[in-house]
């Protein structure tokens, strides 16, 4: 079933999101008290406030111009039933492919002595949460559960499905993956995020259900978070992993 929203709806959402982002950025840049208030909180609380702001920046325009306009439900964004075996098979095979291609690409760059802009080490999210039990618990809830749900609804459920109504699948996938990589505001890791976006587009397209891309996204984030935590508590492993 084709979604009711159109490209013009995306343009309205995108324009208002950019305006809201610029407004919040100006607030923290020109009103020092705003940044000082965040600095007084536990790192996890400060992050949750910033995450709530990001949520408002993305989903207030989506609600205003799309959800309320068309009286939509989650099913209208692609949250449809999918056979469990198909979901598991798609997620696992896609994740193995993602790992294999990433490893081959990294190996080629290493032995060729090349360094590509946009293909650098991703910054750890742990300092944003803190390293105590409270911080690590919130990190898991955000990184492994809420972020996959929210990002997949916005990028695959809304943007990708809007683009596929306007352009061929390959172009819609490239454009969606580009926006997905840019919105993370980590240009040093643009290439891995872009490739991840392509894989997420495929997992949704393969089953026609957003639950598949959510499951893949959650699996990827959980493994990355677990590895990040393990490295923090076992820093000696970094020496063994260095080529």
């Amino acid at each position: 079933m084709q979604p009711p929203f159109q490209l013009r709806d995306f343009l309205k959402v995108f324009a208002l999101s950019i305006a809201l982002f610029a407004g919040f950025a100006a607030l923290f840049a020109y009103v020092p008290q705003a940044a000082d208030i965040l600095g007084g909180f536990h790192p996890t609380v400060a992050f949750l406030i910033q995450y709530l702001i990001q949520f408002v920046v993305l989903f207030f325009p989506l609600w205003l111009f799309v959800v309320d306009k068309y009286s939509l439900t989650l099913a209208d964004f692609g949250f449809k039933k999918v056979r469990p075996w198909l979901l598991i098979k798609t997620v696992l095979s896609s994740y193995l492919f993602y790992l294999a291609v990433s490893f081959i690409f990294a190996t080629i760059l290493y032995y060729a002595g090349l360094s590509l802009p946009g293909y650098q080490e991703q910054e750890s999210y742990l300092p944003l949460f803190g390293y105590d039990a409270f911080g690590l618990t919130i990190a898991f809830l955000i990184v492994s559960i809420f972020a996959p749900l929210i990002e997949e609804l916005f990028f695959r459920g809304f943007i990708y499905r809007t683009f596929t109504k306007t352009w061929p699948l390959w172009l819609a996938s490239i454009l969606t993956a580009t926006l997905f990589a840019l919105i993370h505001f980590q240009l040093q890791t643009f290439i891995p995020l872009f490739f991840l976006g392509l894989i997420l587009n495929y997992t949704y397209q393969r089953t026609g259900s957003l639950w598949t891309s959510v499951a893949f996204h959650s699996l990827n984030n959980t493994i990355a978070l677990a590895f990040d935590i393990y490295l923090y508590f076992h820093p000696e492993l970094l020496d063994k992993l260095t080529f």
Side-chain angles (χ1 to χ4, degrees), residues 9 23 35 52 70 96 98-99 138 149 158 178 196 212 219 243:
D9 298 316
L52 177 62
Y70 297 108
L96 290 175
Y98 172 69
L99 289 181
I138 297 300
L149 281 168
F158 173 56
T178 300
L196 177 62
T212 312
L219 174 66
F243 285 98

Side-chain angles (χ1 to χ4, degrees), residues 48-65:
L48 287 175
I49 294 174
Q50 295 177 64
Y51 196 79
L52 177 62
I53 292 174
Q54 294 177 29
F55 180 85
V56 170
V57 166
L58 290 179
F59 279 88
F60 174 70
L62 184 65
W63 174 83
L64 182 64
F65 294 122

Side-chain angles (χ1 to χ4, degrees), residues 34 36-47 49:
D36 293 340
I37 291 174
L38 287 180
F41 290 116
H42 184 284
T44 303
V45 177
F47 177 84
I49 294 174

Side-chain angles (χ1 to χ4, degrees), residues 67-202:
V67 177
D68 186 59
K69 176 182 178 181
Y70 297 108
S71 300
L72 301 181
T73 65
L74 289 177
D76 295 307
F77 287 95
F79 282 102
K80 297 184 293 185
K81 291 182 179 179
V82 56
R83 297 195 306 275
W85 172 241
L86 178 59
L87 183 149
I88 294 171
K89 181 177 67 173
T90 302
V91 169
L92 292 182
S93 61
S94 299
Y95 188 70
L96 290 175
F97 175 76
Y98 172 69
L99 289 181
V101 173
S102 298
F103 176 77
I104 292 172
F105 189 66
T107 302
I108 291 174
L109 290 180
Y110 174 78
Y111 285 106
L114 299 176
S115 178
L116 289 180
Y119 194 79
Q120 308 299 322
E121 183 179 355
Q122 185 171 356
E123 297 178 3
S124 172
Y125 286 106
L126 289 182
L128 300 175
F129 296 96
Y131 299 95
D132 55 12
F134 175 66
L136 294 179
T137 300
I138 297 300
F140 170 76
L141 292 175
I142 295 294
V143 173
S144 299
I145 299 177
F146 290 110
L149 281 168
I150 291 171
E151 292 181 13
E152 290 312 301
L153 189 155
F154 191 79
F155 287 99
R156 252 58 59 183
F158 173 56
I159 295 179
Y160 178 69
R161 296 175 77 228
T162 300
F163 286 179
T164 55
K165 292 180 63 175
T166 309
W167 298 294
L169 282 179
W170 66 269
L171 181 57
S173 186
I174 289 175
L175 293 174
T176 304
T178 300
L179 289 176
F180 176 77
L182 290 175
I183 205 67
H184 283 79
F185 301 106
Q186 296 186 25
L187 294 181
Q188 75 277 11
T189 58
F190 175 85
I191 295 175
L193 288 171
F194 173 78
F195 180 52
L196 177 62
L198 293 178
I199 297 295
L200 288 166
N201 294 340
Y202 167 77

